[in-house]
Amino acid sequence: MPAQVISGKEISAGIRAKLREEVQKMQEEVPGYRPGLAVVQVGNDEASNVYIRMKMKAAEEAGMNGRHIKMPQDTTQNELVTQINQLNADPGVHGMIIQLPLDTTQPIDSHLVLNTIDPAKDVDGLHDVNSAKLARGNLSDCFVPCTPRGCLELIKSTGTDVDGKNAVVVGRSKIVGAPMSELLTWNHATVTVCHSHTKNLDQVCREADILVVAIGRAQMVKGSWIKPGAVVIDCGINSIPDATKKSGKRLVGDVDYPEALEVASAVTPVPGGVGPMTVAMLMQNTVENAQKALLKYKASVWNISYLPLRLKTPVPNDIEVATAQTPKNVDDLAREIGLQPHEVDLYGKKKAKVSLSVLERLKDVPNGKYVVVTGITPTPLGEGKSTTTIGLTQALGAHLKKNVFACVRQPSQGPTFGIKGGAAGGGYSQVIPMDEFNLHLTGDIHAITAANNLLAAAIDTRIFHESTQTDKALYGRLVPTKDGARKFSPIQMRRLEKLGITKTNPDDLTEEEVADFARLDIDKSTITWQRVMDTNDRYLRKITIGQSPTEKGITRETNFDITVASEIMAVLALTTSLADMRERLGRMVVASDTKGHPVTADDLGLGGALTVLMKDAIRPNLMQNLEGTPVFVHAGPFANIAHGNSSVLADKIALKLVGPNGFVVTEAGFGADIGMEKFFDIKCRYSGLVPHVVVLVATVRALKMHGGGPKVTAGAPLPREYKEENIGLVEAGCSNLRKQIENALHFGIPVVVAINGFSTDTESEMQAVIKKAKEFGAFDAVICSHWANGGAGATDLAQAVERASQQSSDFHFLYDVKLPLEEKIEAIAKKIYGADGIELSEQAQAAINRYKSQGFNDLPICMAKTHLSLSHDPERKGAPTGFTLPIRDVRASVGAGFIYPLVGTMSTMPGLPTRPCFYDIDLDPDTEEVKGLF
Amino acid sequence: MPAQVISGKEISAGIRAKLREEVQKMQEEVPGYRPGLAVVQVGNDEASNVYIRMKMKAAEEAGMNGRHIKMPQDTTQNELVTQINQLNADPGVHGMIIQLPLDTTQPIDSHLVLNTIDPAKDVDGLHDVNSAKLARGNLSDCFVPCTPRGCLELIKSTGTDVDGKNAVVVGRSKIVGAPMSELLTWNHATVTVCHSHTKNLDQVCREADILVVAIGRAQMVKGSWIKPGAVVIDCGINSIPDATKKSGKRLVGDVDYPEALEVASAVTPVPGGVGPMTVAMLMQNTVENAQKALLKYKASVWNISYLPLRLKTPVPNDIEVATAQTPKNVDDLAREIGLQPHEVDLYGKKKAKVSLSVLERLKDVPNGKYVVVTGITPTPLGEGKSTTTIGLTQALGAHLKKNVFACVRQPSQGPTFGIKGGAAGGGYSQVIPMDEFNLHLTGDIHAITAANNLLAAAIDTRIFHESTQTDKALYGRLVPTKDGARKFSPIQMRRLEKLGITKTNPDDLTEEEVADFARLDIDKSTITWQRVMDTNDRYLRKITIGQSPTEKGITRETNFDITVASEIMAVLALTTSLADMRERLGRMVVASDTKGHPVTADDLGLGGALTVLMKDAIRPNLMQNLEGTPVFVHAGPFANIAHGNSSVLADKIALKLVGPNGFVVTEAGFGADIGMEKFFDIKCRYSGLVPHVVVLVATVRALKMHGGGPKVTAGAPLPREYKEENIGLVEAGCSNLRKQIENALHFGIPVVVAINGFSTDTESEMQAVIKKAKEFGAFDAVICSHWANGGAGATDLAQAVERASQQSSDFHFLYDVKLPLEEKIEAIAKKIYGADGIELSEQAQAAINRYKSQGFNDLPICMAKTHLSLSHDPERKGAPTGFTLPIRDVRASVGAGFIYPLVGTMSTMPGLPTRPCFYDIDLDPDTEEVKGLF
């Protein structure tokens, strides 16, 4: 009985039809989703051209996205590697192969090139990692090269059970023989590998129940070599002369097919046997990988390794706790949370910047739950908002096994060396490495300093140049003749547009237009742009500049702010993309001209350069907390004259990365009346994100102070009211808690009160707070001990947050931005602060009028008010009533996008104390360990 | 005839004896060199303990360094990974194994852990990369697991030729069976792999000429399974009951040994067969790897991939040339030049910081050749020193295939946005990516700004606090009671030591000592420490600070310098280690006290904190040039009031990395009279490095100007003298060339003149320069065209440099530092500038006297003189004579370590022009490409 002919053509057609269905299924799930296969070719090898055409056709038929990247023969290794890396980075590419052989004139190391392919896209299975997995039997987690995989399918199609059979593989090539023998071995055949050195090859073959031949010699295996009843798979394709054919030749395999038909039970023909299967398996590898990617895309639970804590009692100081834990390498963390290598730029081993392109890749993934941490009105006793933010994420992650991200602000370096010390949380709830968090980080604040001060220098220098030059000279210098031609730069076109000048040839402008264009006529008295420095330097609070004779007496009084008070920091925190940042930076208003028109950074020619200086800063910084869950540290605008919240972009990326079942916990500066209100009305307004839960942090001690407890002086011993049980004071202080809960509820979001426990708090005191909080409308109130116990101390809180996040919420802003500026200010004062109304100074009213006339009415409001009271008077604790909020002045951050009324005087430059913390800071030159940071 | 007994014990003893000899040989080559083997154990598995003891003993006997790292049972995966990474990083560890099984209470992924081992140290051969290489037959470049390797040795010991034999391997484990079958296959045996699913195992075994058994079943393979005359290798170790033994049991293999002895030609016994070979092979793998490391250590030629240039004519502008080339990923570059992963901290994909620990690892490697690039006296026409530095390294590397490093300065960001634009070389000789080079880099300059300004703020704040507090109050704040105790911080102990106070209890100080300690009494008029900013801000050239009412009227006139003028930048450039930097930063003098004593950063409590701020900046930044050879970009001190050379540390590390046959090319700022003189007398004095060649760059056009050519005005067309042949002017200008050659020869170093060709230069003009240069004593003079042609345009120069580097040189300093300050200044003025003498102003003389009395006489001199003339008058071109050099003032940079006499007025803060280059700079928000930088 002649053998069964194993038709690779038919079987592969069936597989391809099935793949087409799989692809359709995926597209039903996610519209537009298509498995992508990229084939990279170097040169123009004719056989390669044919193969690639077949692959592209098969991909197209399966509904896949086939890309043929054909590179010239003189492509260098580095160019090829760069191309591969681009494809590694492309989320639309699920499989990639390098068509071999390379047809190249350059020295290219093909082993290196194949190993540049991301093993997770290596659908040819030629990467070392895939080879090793196949060789060692880890089949569940590797790509099997296409031809061997196809051969196995063909064997199985005959109904043969490979397990326990004798298999002989003739050939040991990297692409067929070697992986084939491994595949059979791990499918439990007893495999013999033959090759050119094998003696008595015919005898060995004759032992085979399954015979796979891939040796590249035409018709070498005769019928007599085949065990009767064997399954014979022929991987050879050889061209032999055949006078009967028009071409004078025909294709045959490595097996004498007619003879084999007589002996074997099943044989593959050539052509139409193994060949079509190779292509089909390439498609299958790619489709399966796309399915895997889709699963991941739909955000399952991260496979993340947590860092167990070894708690000590009493809790050591912060730097000791921090250095006792070894952080994971950040590239490992990035991989664990689903970031791809090209999306991550390492800055050393423990910090990385994350690309904004993640947003595009994950655009269809639903956001996670969005949790904001805020507090009661702060007191010198502290409430531990940052610590709670970190502790809550440690609990949600390492203990409840949720995907979770903390998004925190980058601290200013100034206070790190002054009084405050570091700001990475505390105790067993910290961001690590703590010194990297507190120093330089990845240079974002430095970039802001550089950008801010370039703009400041440009303002004064422009005033100087305008004062010493005629319109014509000025214009000549601004639009110089270069190589005989004169041209406006793109940024100058923006100014022309603003001025309503439509001419594009610089020589066509009228004298008046030249003057309008060239002369900004900045009114020195209106300059609101200050120089900045990330140092506590009180001596720069008021200075006179321009006193060198070179400036010809054009001096000016001005001041330095701390860098985090720069509007550029606020822009960084609120921007939503590179293009958006470019526009915001360009429209920042630095002064008015003598006619009262706003002068912008773009008028000074700087919008582009500022963007270039900020191009790296815009990417969020990835770090981790003590238990190994991810933290974004990004932007830290002053919570006073700015909105005091970390960046929109970090939150957005984090919400995509955690996926629909995950959590992003972000902290708002100061108390709920300030940080939270701005979080909702400014940050959420610009981001379009909808929050799910407010966590309101309170401590018994701080509530006691709000309840009328005695003043606390730094250095002096703590009054006993704070160390002994005093339910009365606690309950009285809950007036502040009540108002802040109410403030959160104004926005329609459920509130969980977190009572950050101290060892001196009594159970009755804490229970009193819980009772009150629930009375006031909190969704829940729970006691936490994450400072002492890490995430384990905040699992109750985490569970409450999880439950609250499942509530339906009704988020809305406090006011409509279209309302007149005065009414918006009043809304905040009355509803949030509890004031009876507002009182605008003359200056404030004038400013409001000016901003209205300049077209800035519709910006949201960013109140600059003391954080130490709900009112404007820092001494008034609890929940003051019966006051009118005085508005001293009103300013605008047009680029950031808000108007900020000033309630009282705000210091924007801290000072150093007599003994700053730097006295204790040093570096061990041997271990390179930082000492004395806290 | 009973079979030969293959004694693994004897054979392994022979191998180990040979290894001992190999180790001794290595130690003869490099004293103290010992192969290091680390065994990591988790938990306390008893069998593991026994094995490890054997391994440690074998290592010791072979003269190796065996390290047993025993980690507790509760070790976490991250801790284990961290430990492995430390061993990966340890140059003393040549081989590392993880003892399996892990005895752990924690979830640890052993596949991940094994793959954390550096494949190049994976002496157990279990890393995926090594498995893949073995499976695919790349045996020359992989570690083979020890047991299979030992088995093969045993087989070979019988005289059996494996090639073409039938081999049967029973077992497919990762450690023995699978790699054994691969090893036999690639030694050309015909291999059959058997396992638990194999049917008729006895029959299959009986086909084997070579039978390797590793299945873990006692005495399973009987005599009847063995082909008569076969070689039988028994990897089993099983314990079976044996009443005749005291222990009641004995060890046997997987083969029935007595039966096998009757049939086989050779058999391994158990014990004493395979067992001892495993240990011996572990030693052999480690020793061989140590030999490889030694070879690499002895610095062969790098295996580096160059980036071919695709030259365009005419040469496009710099940013176009730069962006047309795709740089390699810097981690690839780092690997190519022999850096180990732990020595490299990536900052994104194209920049990295390199650890100073490289110096320790390579301490015994001889330095490469040290080449300094300098120029004739600069003119507005430019000479192209930076471009030549880069072009020369491209030639030495990509064309002459030498190991070569360029070491260049980091440019100030200020001028990038002002007139000058970028500074990465030019044309086809540039550092790339050019925008990263010119912007932020890795934040070193920002770190300097932060450190400098913290010190500045501390000075003014301290004056303020001292003015408002009594001695007692001040002391109380400086040495506060904390938790009941009062303690001096380590930095305060430094001040006590300086004051000669030996007490250590703060309460013991007398009132006078308290006053001395607490009151720095800074004389405001002597403050030499300025604030800095990396921005061209002319309005900060003279300012008044402290005008806010909070500073109570204690105002002061001061100024900002550009950051690169900070002494901290000079410290960074000259320091030789972290510990050295700590000391230099601490001893920086910022002012005198009212008694005339110097007040230092350490007196202000800041030496440690400044070091912490600078801890990352101290590591050199790795980038690459257009042809893919490495560049260190590190430090960029002002070439005027400081010494204008890149860092000592970058040069030192580069000299080790290139090795004895390689080259390090470093550039000195300004002309040879300034940058080169300071390079020799300051930089080389502190580094102890001996230079080999001076490359002196000249252009025909610049020489014409020195020869009396007309003035050149920016913007105006170039006078025809510079565009047409004029041999007379060229020859006259060679007076400057002569003097600068002479200046180099003063130091005993051969000079190669590089004539940086322009298209307008005629052959006769260039030949005239060559002739003159040789007359003046240059070793050689060559024409280059690297601007237009990249490295190919500088191969003649590179060859000349190579030849010159083989000359014997006689390096010596210009002056003895012990000479009085005046004499040292005079030596430079007369010998280098050609002056008749010096004239000290009263102020200068007073300063000299003060520095002498303060103990600073023995510092080298850093002249602050115009770079535009050999004299002090920028208008005097050529080689002026007959002048006396006026010294206006003398200042000290005590931390950096030099005295700088001021010749004329130096501006330390540039300004912006009317149309700064920022007008053209923008970012494409889609491609993220920077536009308009040049």
Side-chain angles (χ1 to χ4, degrees), chain A residues 74 76 78-79 82 85 128 132 135-136 138 163-164 172 174 178 182 185-186 188-193 195 197-199 307-308 310 326 328 341 344-349 413 417 439-440 446-447 450 453-454 457 460-462 464-465 469 477-478 480 489 491-492 531 533 535-548 550-551 554 560 578-579 582 604-606 608-609 612-613 615 912-915 918-923 925 928 930, chain B residues 74 76 78-79 82 128 132 135-136 138 163-164 172 174 178 182 185-186 188-193 195 197-199 307-308 310 326 328-329 341 344-349 413 417 439-440 446-447 450 453-454 457 460-462 464-465 469 477-478 480 489 491-492 531 533 535-548 550-551 554 560 578-579 582 604-606 608-609 612-613 615 912-915 918-923 925 928 930:
Chain A
D74 69 344
T76 65
N78 186 56
E79 285 166 341
T82 302
N85 279 327
D128 276 349
R136 296 294 171 268
N138 303 323
D163 193 324
R172 54 180 172 175
K174 292 176 195 205
E182 292 156 356
T185 297
W186 294 109
H188 310 309
T190 300
V191 179
T192 303
V193 180
H195 42 76
H197 296 241
T198 297
K199 288 171 187 158
L307 305 178
R310 296 202 174 88
T326 308
K328 295 180 276 192
V344 179
D345 268 349
L346 302 180
Y347 277 64
K349 309 275 193 292
Q413 209 167 258
F417 293 97
L439 301 168
H440 305 309
H446 294 324
N453 292 345
L454 181 58
D460 283 305
T461 310
R462 181 62 171 255
F464 176 77
H465 286 306
Q469 294 178 46
R477 286 202 169 80
L478 285 169
S489 70
I491 204 163
Q492 290 176 327
R531 287 166 178 82
M533 190 182 272
T535 308
N536 284 13
D537 192 347
R538 53 188 298 161
Y539 265 69
L540 301 180
R541 284 173 185 162
K542 191 167 177 190
I543 64 174
T544 301
I545 59 170
Q547 296 177 317
S548 161
T550 54
E551 275 58 67
I554 308 183
F560 271 76
L578 254 183
R582 166 66 187 85
L604 284 152
L606 260 169
V612 166
L613 281 167
K615 77 184 168 70
L912 292 170
T914 304
R915 186 190 190 284
F918 59 62
Y919 268 85
D920 298 311
I921 298 175
D922 208 337
L923 191 76
E928 300 191 22
V930 174
Chain B
D74 69 344
T76 65
N78 186 57
E79 287 166 340
T82 303
D128 276 350
R136 297 292 172 268
N138 303 324
D163 195 324
R172 53 179 174 176
K174 293 176 194 204
E182 293 156 356
T185 298
W186 294 109
H188 310 308
T190 301
V191 180
T192 303
V193 180
H195 42 77
H197 296 241
T198 298
K199 287 172 187 157
L307 305 178
R310 297 202 174 87
T326 306
K328 296 181 275 191
N329 279 344
V344 179
D345 269 349
L346 303 179
Y347 278 63
K349 309 275 193 293
Q413 209 166 257
F417 292 97
L439 300 167
H440 306 308
H446 294 324
N453 292 346
L454 181 58
D460 284 305
T461 309
R462 180 63 169 254
F464 176 77
H465 285 305
Q469 295 177 46
R477 286 202 168 80
L478 285 169
S489 69
I491 203 163
Q492 290 177 327
R531 287 166 179 81
M533 192 181 275
T535 308
N536 285 12
D537 192 347
R538 52 188 297 162
Y539 265 68
L540 300 179
R541 282 173 186 162
K542 191 167 178 191
I543 64 175
T544 301
I545 59 170
Q547 295 177 316
S548 162
T550 53
E551 276 56 69
I554 308 183
F560 271 76
L578 254 184
R582 166 67 188 84
L604 284 154
L606 260 168
V612 167
L613 282 167
K615 77 185 169 66
L912 293 169
T914 304
R915 188 192 189 282
F918 59 62
Y919 268 85
D920 298 311
I921 298 175
D922 208 338
L923 190 76
E928 300 190 20
V930 174

Side-chain angles (χ1 to χ4, degrees), chain A residues 758-778:
Chain A
F758 278 71
S759 58
T760 49
D761 301 344
T762 70
E763 185 62 25
S764 318
E765 286 174 332
M766 294 196 283
Q767 288 303 334
V769 181
I770 290 177
K771 188 160 162 276
K772 286 283 182 190
K774 290 185 180 169
E775 268 175 42
F776 300 150

Side-chain angles (χ1 to χ4, degrees), chain B residues 280-347:
Chain B
M281 289 300 113
L282 181 63
M283 301 304 130
Q284 182 154 346
N285 275 345
T286 308
V287 169
E288 285 174 0
N289 208 34
Q291 286 169 324
K292 247 167 94 175
L294 191 63
L295 270 179
K296 270 199 193 160
Y297 188 84
K298 290 192 293 183
S300 43
V301 176
W302 295 335
N303 182 11
I304 184 169
S305 59
Y306 301 107
L307 305 178
L309 292 174
R310 297 202 174 87
L311 301 173
K312 284 190 185 169
T313 320
V315 178
N317 70 32
D318 286 355
I319 186 103
E320 271 179 67
V321 171
T323 52
Q325 184 69 294
T326 306
K328 296 181 275 191
N329 279 344
V330 71
D331 51 346
D332 291 333
L333 173 64
R335 202 189 48 245
E336 288 175 343
I337 62 174
L339 285 166
Q340 303 186 350
H342 69 279
E343 292 168 345
V344 179
D345 269 349
L346 303 179
Y347 278 63

Side-chain angles (χ1 to χ4, degrees), chain A residues 211-232:
Chain A
L211 179 62
V212 181
V213 188
I215 197 86
R217 293 205 219 147
Q219 300 172 306
M220 183 180 73
V221 175
K222 301 293 166 193
S224 63
W225 295 26
I226 297 168
K227 180 176 178 179
V231 174
V232 178

Side-chain angles (χ1 to χ4, degrees), chain A residues 764-893:
Chain A
S764 318
E765 286 174 332
M766 294 196 283
Q767 288 303 334
V769 181
I770 290 177
K771 188 160 162 276
K772 286 283 182 190
K774 290 185 180 169
E775 268 175 42
F776 300 150
F779 172 82
D780 203 348
V782 282
I783 300 165
C784 330
S785 64
H786 42 273
W787 180 82
N789 298 313
T795 48
D796 289 350
L797 175 62
Q799 278 158 350
V801 166
E802 195 188 354
R803 277 183 282 112
S805 75
Q806 285 151 4
Q807 295 288 106
S808 64
S809 68
D810 166 35
F811 177 59
H812 45 261
F813 301 120
L814 192 74
Y815 53 82
D816 179 348
V817 278
K818 301 279 178 197
L819 287 175
L821 285 170
E822 298 91 330
E823 288 182 33
K824 291 186 278 190
I825 299 171
E826 198 175 42
I828 298 171
K830 284 176 154 179
K831 291 194 216 166
I832 301 293
Y833 305 158
D836 293 337
I838 61 169
E839 192 181 315
L840 295 165
S841 73
E842 220 170 287
Q843 197 181 354
Q845 189 62 61
I848 286 177
N849 297 344
R850 185 171 66 249
Y851 292 134
K852 283 183 176 175
S853 75
Q854 291 180 342
F856 302 140
N857 180 78
D858 292 357
L859 293 174
I861 302 297
C862 183
M863 297 293 285
K865 178 186 76 76
T866 178
H867 55 293
L868 297 171
S869 169
L870 279 157
S871 76
H872 55 282
D873 175 2
E875 299 302 321
R876 297 187 67 182
K877 302 298 174 192
T881 52
F883 63 94
T884 302
L885 195 77
I887 310 295
R888 185 171 65 79
D889 197 357
V890 176
R891 307 240 171 100
S893 284

Side-chain angles (χ1 to χ4, degrees), chain B residues 833-851:
Chain B
Y833 304 158
D836 293 337
I838 62 171
E839 191 180 316
L840 294 167
S841 73
E842 220 167 286
Q843 199 179 354
Q845 189 61 61
I848 286 178
N849 297 345
R850 185 171 68 248
Y851 291 133

